Amino acid sequence: MPVATRREELAEAATDYALEHGLIGLSLRPLAEALGTSDRMLLYHFDDKDDLVATILRTTVGRSAQSLRELPAPRDVRSAVLELWRAVTTGPQERCQRLYVEAAALGLFGREPYATTVRETNAEWVSAVSGHFERAGLGRAAARQATVLVDAAFMGL
């Protein structure tokens, strides 16, 4: 197993912090203090606050996508939808979804790095959800269509 770099360790810890406290009003000093470091050390490991926020978003979506990939193969499409709903509305996934929605809302107003990073991370999320539907027996094109429909419905709920 590869050894994590200090940047990766900080990214994981900062992600945990953001999942607990949100992104709106995220300030480097309280974050650094909670991580047992200084704001200057955060800026040593990340280009700036935007780089740190983008890394937090990528880490969050990466965790969410991985958890979907680890779900057992669903029996059918109905089971796939129900398992997906259960996954995104409970436990760690729920917090990841809330953080994503917060970032997406900020991105809608054109705020960076939210707008760009949300667009970038959507591909990983769509791939994970589509894979979940493919394991339920849908072909690739149908799985993509189901992903768009279900993801939109879930966001609306």
Side-chain angles (χ1 to χ4, degrees):
M1 179 174 247
V3 176
T5 66
R6 182 66 177 143
R7 177 185 162 95
E8 291 167 337
E9 291 171 357
L10 288 170
E12 290 293 331
T15 299
D16 291 339
Y17 180 90
L19 287 169
E20 183 70 28
H21 300 281
L23 291 171
I24 295 174
L26 181 69
S27 179
L28 289 181
R29 283 194 179 122
L31 170 61
E33 185 178 326
L35 301 183
T37 191
S38 70
D39 55 334
R40 289 181 187 214
M41 285 309 294
L42 285 177
L43 293 175
Y44 174 80
H45 291 286
F46 300 92
D47 295 338
D48 52 25
K49 183 179 172 184
D50 285 349
D51 180 36
L52 176 59
V53 168
T55 301
I56 289 169
L57 291 171
R58 287 185 197 102
T59 302
T60 300
V61 172
R63 287 179 184 180
S64 293
Q66 185 59 36
S67 73
L68 289 186
R69 290 183 194 103
E70 292 171 355
L71 288 174
R75 294 184 315 271
D76 52 31
V77 176
R78 182 181 187 280
S79 297
V81 172
L82 293 173
E83 289 168 18
L84 183 60
W85 177 253
R86 195 171 12 263
V88 300
T89 59
T90 60
Q93 272 282 27
E94 180 183 21
R95 292 189 314 171
C96 290
Q97 291 297 313
R98 287 179 190 268
L99 193 73
Y100 173 83
V101 169
E102 186 179 337
L106 291 167
L108 284 174
F109 294 111
R111 290 205 34 210
E112 292 295 348
Y114 305 102
T116 300
T117 307
V118 165
R119 275 193 307 273
E120 290 170 2
T121 58
N122 278 342
E124 183 174 5
W125 176 251
V126 165
S127 174
V129 175
S130 292
H132 181 66
F133 284 121
E134 286 178 38
R135 289 190 303 278
L138 291 180
R140 174 166 266 146
R144 286 283 201 200
Q145 289 174 334
T147 296
V148 170
L149 176 65
V150 169
D151 199 42
F154 283 7
M155 284 296 168
L157 294 173

